[in-house]
Amino acid sequence: MNTENNTPAPAQKKDNTIKRRITGFFTDLYKIHLFIVRFFKEAFVPPFEFKEIVRQCYEVGVRSFALISVTGFIVGFIFTKQSRPSLASFGANSWLPSLVSIAIMRALAPLVTALIASGKVGSSIGAELSSMRVTEQIDAMEVSGTNPFKFLVCTRVLATTLAIPILATYTALIGMLGGYLNVSMNEGVSYTAFVDQFFRPLMFLDFTSSLIKSIVFGFTIGIVGCYQGFYSKEGTEGVGKAANGAVVTAMFLVFIEEIIIVQITSNFR
Amino acid sequence: MEKAKANIDYTKTVISIRGLEKSFEDFAVLRGIDLDLHQGENLVVLGRSGSGKSVLIKLISGLLKPDKGTIEVLGKDVCCLSDKELRELRIRMGFSFQSSALYDSMTVRKNLEFPLVRNQKQLGRKEIDAAVESVLDAVGLSQTINQMPAELSGGQRKRIGIARTLILNPEIMLYDEPTGGLDPITCTEINDLINEVQQRYHTSSIIITHDLTCAKSTGDRIAMLIDGKFQRTGSFEEVFETKDERIKPFFDYNFIQ
Ligand SMILES: Nc1ncnc2c1ncn2[C@@H]1O[C@H](COP(=O)(O)OP(=O)(O)OP(=O)(O)O)[C@@H](O)[C@H]1O
Ligand SMILES: [Mg+2]
């Protein structure tokens, strides 16, 4: 009997799981769609949870501040250092600040911020909400007359959407500092000259596209984290899965959105 | 402590359930429940693990939707309410969860305040503090006010959970296994607390349990939930003395007294 159970029926089994996975993927997609629709329905009707939104913004900032400071600085520093040889081979060292500025402002700052926030903020939102789900805290909130979607989900999504652009701006400034340090060590450019050259090549479009990008990234991180947590499976296993799922899905989506937004904005150049 | 005589008004029903059915996928958990809860009454629902007791009170509080049947709470059909009406109804019902469901990230004080602050925005700081102290006193845990839920024992968490539902002065209390996983002495304390709540706050309650001592000391009426239906309802002695083959083993195995 045991041996019979252990003999695999590979072809059929595989077929089943693939089928299940595909249908699972599409039902997930549909559910996320409903989740987003519900967010827009509930987030912008009073009463607003201003206090909770501010608190969540603060949480997002505090959680990722240290890591973003270090990473932003290193990215600016290293990128400058690594770009120098190729520019030097054209004798174009003086272009370094402009190159760094375009790289950081257009691509690196929003992307680095979003990836770090996915890891730090997305995962903790996923874990927090799913442990609340597992221990019936979300149900308790609901029966005590508070709409948990509004109080937990809307506030967190709004918080990440607001905070990530601010953090991305901060990353850009820190990255610029890293770049400046490297340039001043090697080329001895003064700070004012560096800043002047840093901002000269930037156009209005660069700022707006980066802003839009980081807003979209922030929204994605919030929605994905909340979705994973809010609908997590029962049991402690669900908490780990929600945290992990939040990070993986958010990072994946961030890259996809990066590509799409870059394609769209480059049409306007 | 002996249960004091309850002041029950049998002419008024606060919860009235008819033909309630609920399935999960193809597993029928509840298969036709009829139930009346009278004003001021403690009704105990007994049943084995997995018999659908928690599902039943989640249906009553509107956390789950029934497949069939009606649930009337305080004269309103739970299934057909708007979000706002449902919220107003829920405030009049207290729900003490099986897992206590205290908010991990908040102190005991914040936990207790939460329903008040959210639902009665007109209240001032003084009134809120007074209400918190009063319910904490009622469950006998005044000293824990600044602790986090993680620092409390299981029994204390249960009592704080009950206090949190009491703070809104509910007319109906739903207890999901109030004595689950607690030692006999703490159980007795919780049972006394349930009776005290009935007297002091004049609530009507549904108490879900598989603990016979709890059933005996808190229940004015017992209902046995077996195979998705109430097989027998009556006073503890009536249900206890039954010859029904499905109910008998429950009492034989369970009762130590
Ligand atoms: N959300 C759900 N989804 C699927 N099945 C569920 C769900 N909730 C409960 N069930 C199923 O319904 C049945 C009854 O569950 P319920 O939690 O009501 O049991 P219970 O009587 O409260 O048991 P216990 O005494 O252990 O708490 C179980 O078999 C459970 O698997
Ligand atoms: Mg249960």
Side-chain angles (χ1 to χ4, degrees):
Chain A
M1 173 95 173
N2 241 338
T3 45
E4 213 173 76
N5 274 349
N6 285 340
T7 42
Q12 202 193 348
K13 219 172 196 175
K14 212 171 192 178
D15 198 43
N16 258 343
T17 50
I18 287 176
K19 216 171 170 182
R20 223 189 18 242
R21 280 189 164 207
I22 292 174
T23 47
F25 176 76
F26 282 107
T27 39
D28 254 359
L29 218 59
Y30 179 66
K31 277 202 207 145
I32 289 189
H33 161 79
L34 290 184
F35 196 75
I36 294 174
V37 169
R38 185 166 171 200
F39 168 80
F40 282 109
K41 264 192 198 151
E42 299 205 4
F44 302 108
V45 275
F48 300 108
E49 310 279 357
F50 287 119
K51 238 171 109 184
E52 189 62 16
I53 294 173
V54 171
R55 203 177 73 82
Q56 290 299 332
C57 279
Y58 176 77
E59 288 278 313
V60 173
V62 165
R63 273 180 199 150
S64 35
F65 186 77
L67 199 54
I68 280 183
S69 305
V70 175
T71 322
F73 183 82
I74 291 177
V75 164
F77 192 88
I78 299 292
F79 184 82
T80 314
K81 189 175 165 64
Q82 302 285 36
S83 316
R84 181 173 292 108
S86 23
L87 282 188
S89 62
F90 296 110
N93 272 14
S94 57
W95 283 95
L96 209 42
S98 312
L99 176 72
V100 174
S101 104
I102 285 183
I104 287 182
M105 292 303 280
R106 281 193 192 164
L108 291 175
L111 201 58
V112 165
T113 314
L115 292 180
I116 286 179
S118 305
K120 289 289 276 189
V121 180
S123 65
S124 69
I125 289 179
E128 190 182 6
L129 290 195
S130 72
S131 73
M132 288 186 81
R133 167 66 72 198
V134 169
T135 54
E136 297 181 308
Q137 290 174 53
I138 294 182
D139 286 341
M141 208 167 263
E142 189 153 1
V143 295
S144 71
T146 296
N147 178 348
F149 193 92
K150 218 172 158 126
F151 187 74
L152 298 172
V153 174
C154 293
T155 53
R156 280 168 175 75
V157 176
L158 286 174
T160 51
T161 313
L162 287 172
I164 302 291
I166 298 172
L167 284 173
T169 312
Y170 171 72
T171 313
L173 293 177
I174 286 281
M176 182 180 93
L177 195 68
Y180 165 70
L181 219 70
N182 194 280
V183 170
S184 84
M185 273 158 59
N186 290 282
E187 277 88 13
V189 177
S190 80
Y191 185 66
T192 41
F194 179 85
V195 171
D196 182 50
Q197 287 180 39
F198 188 89
F199 283 106
R200 194 174 294 157
L202 295 174
M203 298 182 298
F204 180 68
L205 185 68
D206 294 319
F207 293 107
T208 40
S209 80
S210 281
L211 185 69
I212 292 170
K213 249 198 268 185
S214 43
I215 289 175
V216 172
F217 292 164
F219 180 76
T220 307
I221 292 166
I223 281 282
V224 170
C226 288
Y227 174 79
Q228 294 279 353
F230 207 71
Y231 291 125
S232 78
K233 291 271 178 314
E234 298 287 304
T236 35
E237 199 195 339
V239 178
K241 274 198 179 144
N244 188 268
V247 178
V248 175
T249 318
M251 284 191 175
F252 179 69
L253 289 178
V254 161
F255 282 117
I256 304 261
E257 287 161 358
E258 166 81 28
I259 289 183
I260 294 173
I261 295 175
V262 165
Q263 288 298 334
I264 293 173
T265 49
S266 64
N267 288 338
F268 293 103
R269 283 191 206 285
Chain B
M1 198 163 69
E2 264 304 293
K3 184 168 162 61
K5 182 92 188 65
N7 187 6
I8 305 171
D9 185 349
Y10 285 102
T11 59
K12 284 190 194 145
T13 54
V14 287
I15 297 181
S16 158
I17 298 177
R18 292 289 171 267
L20 179 64
E21 290 178 25
K22 176 77 188 173
S23 310
F24 291 105
E25 273 139 42
D26 43 5
F27 173 53
V29 181
L30 302 179
R31 310 172 191 174
I33 297 271
D34 296 306
L35 171 98
D36 281 310
L37 179 69
H38 303 112
Q39 176 136 40
E41 181 184 37
N42 274 0
L43 173 73
V44 168
V45 175
L46 273 177
R48 292 183 52 181
S49 214
S51 55
K53 306 184 297 296
S54 298
V55 170
L56 174 65
I57 53 170
K58 283 187 180 161
L59 285 163
I60 293 175
S61 62
L63 284 174
L64 294 172
K65 296 270 167 271
D67 298 337
K68 230 183 192 175
T70 57
I71 306 170
E72 245 180 63
V73 179
L74 299 165
K76 298 206 173 80
D77 192 338
V78 177
C79 334
C80 323
L81 293 179
S82 70
D83 286 352
K84 189 162 166 283
E85 287 169 318
L86 187 59
R87 217 192 78 202
E88 278 160 9
L89 185 61
R90 277 170 168 166
I91 294 170
R92 300 166 70 188
M93 262 193 288
F95 194 137
S96 151
F97 282 83
Q98 190 164 357
S99 57
S100 307
L102 300 182
Y103 306 128
D104 287 329
S105 57
M106 306 180 194
T107 61
V108 168
R109 179 196 292 278
K110 288 266 182 263
N111 260 285
L112 296 177
E113 271 176 18
F114 190 82
L116 264 193
V117 175
R118 306 283 313 166
N119 292 306
Q120 297 178 12
K121 300 220 157 80
Q122 76 284 2
L123 288 184
R125 191 69 248 169
K126 272 215 181 96
E127 288 151 308
I128 293 175
D129 283 344
V132 167
E133 275 154 33
S134 140
V135 286
L136 257 187
D137 185 50
V139 298
L141 285 175
S142 305
Q143 76 283 4
T144 62
I145 190 160
N146 289 320
Q147 281 175 303
M148 298 301 282
E151 299 163 358
L152 302 175
S153 74
Q156 288 175 322
R157 293 168 65 102
K158 277 265 156 69
R159 282 194 277 175
I160 298 293
I162 293 174
R164 188 177 61 186
T165 58
L166 287 178
I167 204 159
L168 288 173
N169 274 321
E171 292 155 61
I172 299 175
M173 281 293 288
L174 307 170
Y175 298 94
D176 195 348
E177 300 204 12
T179 60
L182 301 178
D183 69 88
I185 299 172
T186 316
C187 283
T188 322
E189 282 170 17
I190 300 263
N191 295 341
D192 291 345
L193 175 62
I194 293 173
N195 287 330
E196 201 188 315
V197 167
Q198 183 188 22
Q199 298 289 340
R200 188 156 152 181
Y201 294 86
H202 308 290
T203 53
S204 328
S205 318
I206 294 183
I207 300 147
I208 299 246
T209 190
H210 43 58
D211 170 7
L212 292 180
T213 322
C214 171
K216 190 172 184 211
S217 53
T218 60
D220 299 308
R221 198 155 56 101
I222 314 276
M224 281 293 298
L225 182 62
I226 293 177
D227 296 336
K229 281 186 181 157
F230 283 135
Q231 301 295 357
R232 199 172 168 93
T233 335
S235 73
F236 186 81
E237 285 71 24
E238 281 166 19
V239 179
F240 187 55
E241 246 111 64
T242 180
K243 295 277 180 300
D244 192 321
E245 280 304 311
R246 286 168 305 181
I247 302 177
K248 203 90 185 97
F250 197 88
F251 291 88
D252 291 345
Y253 292 125
N254 231 312
F255 209 31
I256 317 145
Q257 258 188 5

